Amino acid sequence: MVPSICIFMTGVCFWITYLSVDGAFLVFTSIQRRFNGRYTCTARNIGTAESATISVDLSVIYPPSRPVISGPDIVVLGESFTLFCYADSIPLPNYYWKVATHTVDVIEARGRVYKYTQSASTYSIWRVCYAEVTLFPTVGAQQHHSIFEKKNMIVQEKTGIWSLPEDVRSVVGKTVDVECKVAGAPAPQVWWTKAGNSSFAYQGGRLFIQNVQAYDAGMYTCNAQNTMTPSGQESRDTRDSRDFVLNVENPVFPGDCAECFNPDLTFKITTTTPSNTVTSATVACPSVANQGLIVATVIGWLLAATLFAIGLLFFLRYRQSSTITKTAEQESSKAHAKNDIHSLAHPSMDRQLPVPPYNRMEPEMVADSPYTELYADHYTEPISDQNSPDYLTSV
Protein backbone atom coordinates (compact mmCIF):
# COMPACT_ATOMS: atom_id res chain seq x y z
CA MET A 1 0.00 0.00 0.00
CA VAL A 2 1.39 3.35 -1.03
CA PRO A 3 1.35 5.87 1.84
CA SER A 4 -0.70 9.00 1.16
CA ILE A 5 -2.11 11.97 3.02
CA CYS A 6 -5.38 13.79 2.37
CA ILE A 7 -6.33 17.18 3.84
CA PHE A 8 -10.02 18.31 3.50
CA MET A 9 -11.39 21.84 4.17
CA THR A 10 -14.89 23.28 3.59
CA GLY A 11 -15.55 26.26 1.29
CA VAL A 12 -13.50 27.30 -1.67
CA CYS A 13 -9.88 26.58 -0.99
CA PHE A 14 -6.63 25.98 -2.73
CA TRP A 15 -3.16 24.88 -1.67
CA ILE A 16 -0.10 27.02 -1.92
CA THR A 17 3.31 25.45 -1.73
CA TYR A 18 6.01 24.93 -4.29
CA LEU A 19 3.04 23.89 -6.46
CA SER A 20 -0.50 25.20 -6.67
CA VAL A 21 -3.44 22.87 -6.48
CA ASP A 22 -7.06 23.92 -6.70
CA GLY A 23 -9.55 22.03 -4.62
CA ALA A 24 -10.16 21.03 -1.07
CA PHE A 25 -8.20 17.81 -1.27
CA LEU A 26 -4.44 17.38 -1.44
CA VAL A 27 -3.52 13.77 -2.14
CA PHE A 28 0.03 12.29 -2.28
CA THR A 29 0.71 8.89 -3.72
CA SER A 30 4.03 7.08 -3.85
CA ILE A 31 5.58 9.23 -1.18
CA GLN A 32 9.06 10.52 -2.02
CA ARG A 33 11.63 12.36 0.04
CA ARG A 34 11.10 15.48 -2.01
CA PHE A 35 7.58 15.76 -0.62
CA ASN A 36 9.00 17.07 2.63
CA GLY A 37 7.86 20.67 3.35
CA ARG A 38 5.12 23.04 4.60
CA TYR A 39 1.82 23.14 2.83
CA THR A 40 -0.65 26.13 3.24
CA CYS A 41 -4.37 25.99 2.50
CA THR A 42 -6.24 29.25 1.73
CA ALA A 43 -10.08 29.52 1.78
CA ARG A 44 -11.90 32.56 0.37
CA ASN A 45 -15.57 33.61 0.66
CA ILE A 46 -16.75 34.56 -2.78
CA GLY A 47 -19.49 36.87 -1.54
CA THR A 48 -17.58 38.84 1.04
CA ALA A 49 -14.12 38.22 -0.37
CA GLU A 50 -12.90 37.21 3.07
CA SER A 51 -10.18 34.56 3.27
CA ALA A 52 -8.51 32.33 5.83
CA THR A 53 -5.31 30.28 5.71
CA ILE A 54 -3.92 27.26 7.50
CA SER A 55 -0.59 25.52 7.16
CA VAL A 56 0.58 21.97 7.71
CA ASP A 57 4.09 20.49 7.73
CA LEU A 58 4.63 17.27 5.91
CA SER A 59 7.57 15.11 7.05
CA VAL A 60 8.50 12.10 5.05
CA ILE A 61 10.19 9.45 7.19
CA TYR A 62 12.05 6.50 5.73
CA PRO A 63 14.24 3.61 6.95
CA PRO A 64 18.07 3.74 6.76
CA SER A 65 19.95 2.82 3.62
CA ARG A 66 22.73 0.27 3.67
CA PRO A 67 25.59 1.71 5.74
CA VAL A 68 28.84 2.81 4.16
CA ILE A 69 32.00 2.12 6.21
CA SER A 70 35.05 4.24 5.55
CA GLY A 71 38.47 3.54 6.98
CA PRO A 72 41.76 1.70 6.27
CA ASP A 73 41.84 -1.63 4.46
CA ILE A 74 45.27 -2.56 5.85
CA VAL A 75 46.09 -2.02 9.51
CA VAL A 76 49.18 -2.72 11.63
CA LEU A 77 49.18 -5.03 14.62
CA GLY A 78 49.51 -2.99 17.80
CA GLU A 79 48.54 0.33 16.15
CA SER A 80 45.10 1.96 16.51
CA PHE A 81 42.80 2.71 13.57
CA THR A 82 39.43 4.46 13.11
CA LEU A 83 36.34 3.48 11.12
CA PHE A 84 33.36 5.68 10.17
CA CYS A 85 29.83 4.47 9.43
CA TYR A 86 27.01 6.40 7.70
CA ALA A 87 23.45 5.52 6.67
CA ASP A 88 20.79 7.86 5.21
CA SER A 89 17.43 7.87 7.04
CA ILE A 90 14.86 10.09 8.70
CA PRO A 91 14.99 10.13 11.61
CA LEU A 92 18.73 9.63 12.03
CA PRO A 93 19.59 6.02 12.83
CA ASN A 94 21.35 4.61 15.82
CA TYR A 95 24.78 3.01 15.14
CA TYR A 96 26.63 0.20 16.87
CA TRP A 97 29.54 -2.13 16.02
CA LYS A 98 30.06 -5.87 16.35
CA VAL A 99 32.74 -8.44 15.52
CA ALA A 100 31.83 -10.47 12.47
CA THR A 101 32.19 -13.95 13.92
CA HIS A 102 29.72 -16.71 14.59
CA THR A 103 30.76 -17.07 18.21
CA VAL A 104 30.80 -13.43 19.30
CA ASP A 105 27.56 -11.44 19.31
CA VAL A 106 28.44 -8.65 21.67
CA ILE A 107 28.23 -4.95 20.88
CA GLU A 108 31.76 -3.55 20.98
CA ALA A 109 30.99 0.13 20.49
CA ARG A 110 28.13 2.53 19.73
CA GLY A 111 28.10 5.57 17.47
CA ARG A 112 29.26 6.34 13.98
CA VAL A 113 32.97 6.39 14.89
CA TYR A 114 34.79 3.23 15.87
CA LYS A 115 38.36 3.22 17.24
CA TYR A 116 40.22 0.00 17.84
CA THR A 117 43.74 -1.40 18.41
CA GLN A 118 44.37 -4.93 17.19
CA SER A 119 46.47 -6.80 19.76
CA ALA A 120 46.20 -10.41 18.64
CA SER A 121 48.16 -11.77 15.71
CA THR A 122 45.81 -12.74 12.89
CA TYR A 123 45.65 -12.49 9.13
CA SER A 124 42.53 -10.28 8.97
CA ILE A 125 39.68 -8.92 11.06
CA TRP A 126 36.02 -8.18 10.32
CA ARG A 127 33.87 -5.41 11.77
CA VAL A 128 30.13 -4.91 11.26
CA CYS A 129 28.29 -1.58 11.45
CA TYR A 130 24.56 -1.69 12.24
CA ALA A 131 22.14 1.20 11.53
CA GLU A 132 18.66 0.91 13.02
CA VAL A 133 15.66 3.18 13.42
CA THR A 134 12.01 3.04 14.54
CA LEU A 135 9.48 4.92 12.39
CA PHE A 136 6.36 6.52 13.93
CA PRO A 137 4.10 7.63 11.03
CA THR A 138 1.00 9.83 11.66
CA VAL A 139 -1.08 7.34 9.83
CA GLY A 140 -0.37 3.65 10.41
CA ALA A 141 1.62 1.55 12.89
CA GLN A 142 5.16 2.13 13.96
CA GLN A 143 7.94 0.32 12.08
CA HIS A 144 11.41 -0.88 13.17
CA HIS A 145 14.22 -1.12 10.63
CA SER A 146 17.83 -2.40 11.02
CA ILE A 147 20.51 -2.87 8.39
CA PHE A 148 24.25 -3.62 8.54
CA GLU A 149 27.43 -3.64 6.50
CA LYS A 150 30.71 -5.59 6.96
CA LYS A 151 34.28 -4.46 6.45
CA ASN A 152 37.34 -6.69 6.18
CA MET A 153 40.78 -5.38 7.12
CA ILE A 154 44.13 -7.05 6.49
CA VAL A 155 46.40 -7.06 9.52
CA GLN A 156 50.11 -6.57 8.91
CA GLU A 157 52.65 -7.35 11.58
CA LYS A 158 56.18 -6.17 12.26
CA THR A 159 58.92 -8.76 11.89
CA GLY A 160 59.91 -10.42 15.12
CA ILE A 161 61.97 -13.49 16.11
CA TRP A 162 60.30 -15.16 19.05
CA SER A 163 62.13 -18.50 19.31
CA LEU A 164 65.84 -19.31 18.84
CA PRO A 165 68.18 -21.23 21.20
CA GLU A 166 71.10 -19.28 22.61
CA ASP A 167 73.55 -22.19 22.80
CA VAL A 168 73.69 -25.32 20.62
CA ARG A 169 76.07 -28.21 21.29
CA SER A 170 76.92 -30.96 18.84
CA VAL A 171 79.55 -33.64 18.15
CA VAL A 172 81.79 -33.91 15.10
CA GLY A 173 80.05 -35.90 12.37
CA LYS A 174 76.52 -35.24 13.62
CA THR A 175 73.78 -33.11 12.00
CA VAL A 176 72.85 -29.67 13.33
CA ASP A 177 69.25 -28.54 12.80
CA VAL A 178 68.32 -25.18 14.33
CA GLU A 179 64.93 -23.54 13.74
CA CYS A 180 64.47 -19.77 13.85
CA LYS A 181 60.77 -19.11 14.47
CA VAL A 182 59.69 -15.78 13.00
CA ALA A 183 56.44 -13.82 13.14
CA GLY A 184 55.36 -11.11 10.72
CA ALA A 185 52.93 -10.22 7.95
CA PRO A 186 53.67 -10.20 5.10
CA ALA A 187 55.78 -13.33 5.69
CA PRO A 188 59.34 -12.18 6.44
CA GLN A 189 62.39 -13.21 4.47
CA VAL A 190 64.81 -15.18 6.68
CA TRP A 191 68.56 -15.71 6.15
CA TRP A 192 71.60 -16.65 8.26
CA THR A 193 75.04 -15.13 8.67
CA LYS A 194 78.14 -16.26 10.57
CA ALA A 195 80.42 -13.99 12.56
CA GLY A 196 83.86 -13.71 11.04
CA ASN A 197 82.84 -15.41 7.77
CA SER A 198 81.50 -12.92 5.23
CA SER A 199 81.10 -15.62 2.56
CA PHE A 200 78.67 -17.68 4.64
CA ALA A 201 75.05 -17.40 3.43
CA TYR A 202 72.07 -19.63 4.15
CA GLN A 203 68.42 -18.98 3.26
CA GLY A 204 65.37 -20.22 5.13
CA GLY A 205 64.09 -20.47 8.66
CA ARG A 206 66.00 -23.69 9.49
CA LEU A 207 69.80 -23.88 9.64
CA PHE A 208 70.74 -27.42 8.56
CA ILE A 209 74.40 -28.55 8.69
CA GLN A 210 75.28 -32.17 7.90
CA ASN A 211 78.49 -33.86 9.10
CA VAL A 212 79.39 -30.92 11.30
CA GLN A 213 83.10 -30.30 11.86
CA ALA A 214 85.13 -28.29 14.36
CA TYR A 215 85.50 -25.40 11.93
CA ASP A 216 81.68 -25.07 11.80
CA ALA A 217 81.66 -23.83 15.40
CA GLY A 218 81.05 -20.14 15.99
CA MET A 219 78.35 -17.50 16.33
CA TYR A 220 75.45 -17.56 13.88
CA THR A 221 72.82 -14.83 13.36
CA CYS A 222 69.23 -15.33 12.23
CA ASN A 223 67.99 -12.31 10.25
CA ALA A 224 64.37 -11.58 9.28
CA GLN A 225 62.83 -8.69 7.34
CA ASN A 226 59.49 -7.74 5.75
CA THR A 227 57.86 -4.67 4.17
CA MET A 228 54.53 -3.29 5.41
CA THR A 229 52.23 -0.98 3.43
CA PRO A 230 49.42 0.23 5.74
CA SER A 231 46.53 2.16 4.16
CA GLY A 232 47.22 5.87 3.92
CA GLN A 233 50.84 5.45 5.04
CA GLU A 234 54.20 5.03 3.35
CA SER A 235 55.79 1.63 3.00
CA ARG A 236 58.19 0.71 5.78
CA ASP A 237 60.64 -2.11 6.36
CA THR A 238 60.84 -3.92 9.68
CA ARG A 239 63.75 -6.15 10.68
CA ASP A 240 64.84 -8.31 13.60
CA SER A 241 67.89 -10.50 14.31
CA ARG A 242 69.09 -12.86 17.02
CA ASP A 243 72.35 -14.77 17.68
CA PHE A 244 73.23 -18.23 18.91
CA VAL A 245 76.56 -20.00 19.52
CA LEU A 246 77.34 -23.41 18.02
CA ASN A 247 79.78 -25.53 20.04
CA VAL A 248 81.25 -28.61 18.31
CA GLU A 249 82.81 -31.29 20.53
CA ASN A 250 85.44 -33.78 19.34
CA PRO A 251 84.71 -37.34 20.61
CA VAL A 252 88.35 -38.45 20.16
CA PHE A 253 89.36 -36.86 23.47
CA PRO A 254 87.95 -38.03 26.82
CA GLY A 255 86.00 -35.78 29.10
CA ASP A 256 88.71 -35.14 31.69
CA CYS A 257 91.75 -34.15 29.62
CA ALA A 258 93.81 -33.34 32.69
CA GLU A 259 93.80 -36.95 33.91
CA CYS A 260 94.32 -38.95 30.72
CA PHE A 261 95.79 -36.65 28.06
CA ASN A 262 97.79 -33.51 27.78
CA PRO A 263 95.44 -30.57 28.49
CA ASP A 264 97.25 -28.64 25.76
CA LEU A 265 95.49 -30.82 23.21
CA THR A 266 92.30 -28.86 23.73
CA PHE A 267 91.81 -25.91 21.44
CA LYS A 268 89.72 -22.77 21.26
CA ILE A 269 87.70 -21.26 18.46
CA THR A 270 87.61 -17.48 18.54
CA THR A 271 84.95 -15.53 16.67
CA THR A 272 84.32 -11.82 16.27
CA THR A 273 80.79 -10.49 16.42
CA PRO A 274 79.63 -7.46 14.33
CA SER A 275 80.04 -5.29 17.43
CA ASN A 276 83.80 -6.14 17.50
CA THR A 277 83.34 -8.12 20.71
CA VAL A 278 85.56 -11.18 20.81
CA THR A 279 84.10 -14.36 22.26
CA SER A 280 85.76 -17.73 22.69
CA ALA A 281 84.10 -21.12 22.66
CA THR A 282 86.26 -23.95 24.01
CA VAL A 283 85.77 -27.30 22.36
CA ALA A 284 85.30 -29.50 25.38
CA CYS A 285 86.59 -33.06 25.63
CA PRO A 286 83.99 -35.82 25.85
CA SER A 287 83.04 -37.41 29.15
CA VAL A 288 85.19 -39.90 31.05
CA ALA A 289 82.83 -42.66 29.96
CA ASN A 290 84.67 -42.75 26.62
CA GLN A 291 87.98 -43.72 28.27
CA GLY A 292 87.05 -47.40 28.24
CA LEU A 293 86.40 -47.25 24.53
CA ILE A 294 89.77 -45.61 23.87
CA VAL A 295 91.65 -48.16 26.04
CA ALA A 296 89.90 -51.04 24.30
CA THR A 297 90.84 -49.58 20.92
CA VAL A 298 94.52 -49.28 21.91
CA ILE A 299 94.60 -52.86 23.25
CA GLY A 300 93.02 -54.10 20.04
CA TRP A 301 95.67 -52.41 17.92
CA LEU A 302 98.47 -53.85 20.12
CA LEU A 303 97.02 -57.35 19.88
CA ALA A 304 96.71 -57.05 16.11
CA ALA A 305 100.37 -55.91 15.86
CA THR A 306 101.53 -58.86 18.02
CA LEU A 307 99.66 -61.39 15.90
CA PHE A 308 101.14 -59.85 12.78
CA ALA A 309 104.72 -60.14 14.16
CA ILE A 310 104.19 -63.81 15.14
CA GLY A 311 102.82 -64.63 11.72
CA LEU A 312 105.74 -62.89 10.04
CA LEU A 313 108.25 -64.88 12.19
CA PHE A 314 106.65 -68.24 11.26
CA PHE A 315 106.67 -67.25 7.62
CA LEU A 316 110.43 -66.45 7.67
CA ARG A 317 111.29 -69.74 9.43
CA TYR A 318 109.26 -71.78 6.99
CA ARG A 319 110.94 -70.04 4.08
CA GLN A 320 114.44 -70.73 5.51
CA SER A 321 113.75 -74.47 6.06
CA SER A 322 112.38 -74.80 2.56
CA THR A 323 115.55 -73.19 1.15
CA ILE A 324 117.84 -75.61 3.07
CA THR A 325 115.88 -78.63 1.87
CA LYS A 326 116.05 -77.50 -1.73
CA THR A 327 119.87 -76.97 -1.42
CA ALA A 328 120.38 -80.48 -0.01
CA GLU A 329 118.34 -81.95 -2.80
CA GLN A 330 120.43 -80.15 -5.37
CA GLU A 331 123.75 -81.29 -3.82
CA SER A 332 122.52 -84.91 -3.66
CA SER A 333 121.44 -84.84 -7.27
CA LYS A 334 124.86 -83.50 -8.34
CA ALA A 335 126.72 -86.23 -6.39
CA HIS A 336 124.59 -88.99 -7.84
CA ALA A 337 125.11 -87.65 -11.35
CA LYS A 338 128.89 -87.50 -10.77
CA ASN A 339 128.92 -91.16 -9.65
CA ASP A 340 127.08 -92.20 -12.75
CA ILE A 341 129.48 -90.30 -15.04
CA HIS A 342 132.55 -91.74 -13.29
CA SER A 343 131.26 -95.31 -13.59
CA LEU A 344 130.63 -94.87 -17.28
CA ALA A 345 134.12 -93.38 -17.88
CA HIS A 346 136.05 -96.14 -15.94
CA PRO A 347 134.04 -99.31 -16.07
CA SER A 348 136.94 -101.58 -14.92
CA MET A 349 138.44 -99.35 -12.31
CA ASP A 350 135.80 -100.15 -9.82
CA ARG A 351 136.70 -103.83 -10.04
CA GLN A 352 140.55 -103.46 -9.93
CA LEU A 353 141.16 -100.67 -7.47
CA PRO A 354 140.23 -101.04 -3.92
CA VAL A 355 138.32 -98.18 -2.55
CA PRO A 356 139.71 -96.84 0.69
CA PRO A 357 137.17 -96.76 3.39
CA TYR A 358 137.79 -93.10 4.00
CA ASN A 359 137.18 -92.28 0.35
CA ARG A 360 133.65 -93.63 0.38
CA MET A 361 130.70 -91.56 1.54
CA GLU A 362 128.33 -93.02 4.03
CA PRO A 363 124.67 -93.15 3.04
CA GLU A 364 122.93 -89.83 3.82
CA MET A 365 119.27 -89.41 4.42
CA VAL A 366 117.83 -86.39 2.59
CA ALA A 367 114.40 -85.22 3.60
CA ASP A 368 111.75 -85.16 0.94
CA SER A 369 114.20 -86.56 -1.74
CA PRO A 370 113.54 -89.43 -4.16
CA TYR A 371 117.06 -90.61 -3.45
CA THR A 372 117.23 -92.23 -0.06
CA GLU A 373 120.88 -93.44 -0.36
CA LEU A 374 123.73 -91.84 -2.22
CA TYR A 375 127.12 -93.54 -2.83
CA ALA A 376 129.92 -91.34 -4.13
CA ASP A 377 133.57 -92.33 -4.67
CA HIS A 378 136.04 -89.55 -4.21
CA TYR A 379 139.73 -89.96 -4.94
CA THR A 380 142.30 -87.68 -3.53
CA GLU A 381 144.65 -88.10 -6.46
CA PRO A 382 144.13 -88.74 -10.14
CA ILE A 383 144.40 -92.39 -11.30
CA SER A 384 147.60 -93.14 -13.18
CA ASP A 385 150.31 -95.73 -13.43
CA GLN A 386 152.46 -93.63 -11.15
CA ASN A 387 150.21 -94.49 -8.27
CA SER A 388 150.66 -98.23 -8.82
CA PRO A 389 153.06 -100.13 -6.50
CA ASP A 390 154.81 -101.56 -9.51
CA TYR A 391 155.85 -98.12 -10.56
CA LEU A 392 158.19 -97.78 -7.66
CA THR A 393 159.77 -101.23 -8.06
CA SER A 394 162.99 -101.30 -9.93
CA VAL A 395 163.44 -103.80 -12.70
Side-chain angles (χ1 to χ4, degrees), residues 33 62-68 86-93 95 131 133:
R33 299 180 193 179
Y62 50 90
S65 61
R66 182 174 294 277
V68 176
Y86 174 76
D88 182 23
S89 72
I90 294 180
L92 294 177
Y95 300 95
V133 67

Side-chain angles (χ1 to χ4, degrees), residues 132-153:
E132 63 178 15
V133 67
T134 301
L135 302 180
F136 298 94
T138 303
V139 179
Q142 67 179 19
Q143 303 175 16
H144 182 77
H145 296 271
S146 179
I147 192 169
F148 65 89
E149 180 64 25
K150 296 181 180 180
K151 182 174 180 60
N152 179 32
M153 290 159 287

Side-chain angles (χ1 to χ4, degrees), residues 332 339 357 360-366 371-376:
S332 299
N339 257 347
R360 187 173 183 88
M361 294 182 62
E362 295 296 330
E364 180 180 0
M365 299 297 296
V366 180
Y371 305 98
T372 57
E373 294 184 1
L374 293 177
Y375 297 90

Side-chain angles (χ1 to χ4, degrees), residues 58-337:
L58 175 62
S59 297
V60 179
I61 57 178
Y62 50 90
S65 61
R66 182 174 294 277
V68 176
I69 302 176
S70 59
D73 297 322
I74 302 176
V75 298
V76 177
L77 182 68
E79 297 182 2
S80 61
F81 60 90
T82 304
L83 299 178
F84 300 90
C85 184
Y86 174 76
D88 182 23
S89 72
I90 294 180
L92 294 177
N94 296 318
Y95 300 95
Y96 59 90
W97 298 82
K98 288 185 177 182
V99 178
T101 63
H102 298 288
T103 58
V104 179
D105 191 20
V106 179
I107 298 176
E108 281 200 338
R110 293 183 179 273
R112 289 187 56 203
V113 181
Y114 174 76
K115 290 184 177 181
Y116 185 73
T117 301
Q118 179 67 20
S119 58
S121 179
T122 181
Y123 174 74
S124 63
I125 57 175
W126 289 83
R127 290 298 180 268
V128 184
C129 175
Y130 288 84
E132 63 178 15
V133 67
T134 301
L135 302 180
F136 298 94
T138 303
V139 179
Q142 67 179 19
Q143 303 175 16
H144 182 77
H145 296 271
S146 179
I147 192 169
F148 65 89
E149 180 64 25
K150 296 181 180 180
K151 182 174 180 60
N152 179 32
M153 290 159 287
I154 304 298
V155 179
Q156 293 189 344
E157 183 178 354
K158 299 177 182 179
T159 298
I161 300 175
W162 58 276
S163 178
L164 182 67
E166 296 181 356
D167 187 14
V168 176
R169 295 183 177 273
S170 184
V171 179
V172 171
K174 298 295 183 178
T175 298
V176 174
D177 186 5
V178 181
E179 182 178 6
C180 181
K181 296 182 179 180
V182 180
Q189 179 185 5
V190 183
W191 72 97
W192 298 81
T193 56
K194 183 179 180 182
N197 187 355
S198 58
S199 61
F200 180 85
Y202 193 91
Q203 300 290 330
R206 300 178 74 96
L207 179 63
F208 194 78
I209 305 177
Q210 289 183 324
N211 191 21
V212 66
Q213 299 299 319
Y215 54 76
D216 291 322
M219 180 178 293
Y220 292 81
T221 303
C222 175
N223 306 277
Q225 179 178 339
N226 73 345
T227 302
M228 300 189 305
T229 56
S231 298
Q233 303 180 26
E234 295 182 355
S235 299
R236 46 180 163 164
D237 297 333
T238 63
R239 181 173 179 176
D240 194 10
S241 61
R242 189 176 296 185
D243 302 329
F244 84 93
V245 177
L246 174 61
N247 296 303
V248 180
E249 300 176 354
N250 193 339
V252 174
F253 303 107
D256 192 359
C257 297
E259 296 180 0
C260 53
F261 285 107
N262 187 350
D264 295 336
L265 293 178
T266 60
F267 56 93
K268 291 185 178 182
I269 296 175
T270 304
T271 59
T272 306
T273 62
S275 59
N276 295 328
T277 301
V278 177
T279 60
S280 297
T282 302
V283 178
C285 296
S287 61
V288 182
N290 291 330
Q291 295 182 17
L293 178 61
I294 297 174
V295 173
T297 303
V298 174
I299 293 176
W301 280 106
L302 292 177
L303 180 60
T306 303
L307 293 176
F308 177 77
I310 294 174
L312 181 62
L313 179 62
F314 275 104
F315 173 76
L316 294 176
R317 287 186 177 181
Y318 172 78
R319 186 175 180 181
Q320 183 178 5
S321 63
S322 176
T323 302
I324 294 174
T325 301
K326 290 181 179 180
T327 303
E329 291 178 356
Q330 293 174 0
E331 293 296 331
S332 299
S333 298
K334 289 180 180 180
H336 185 74

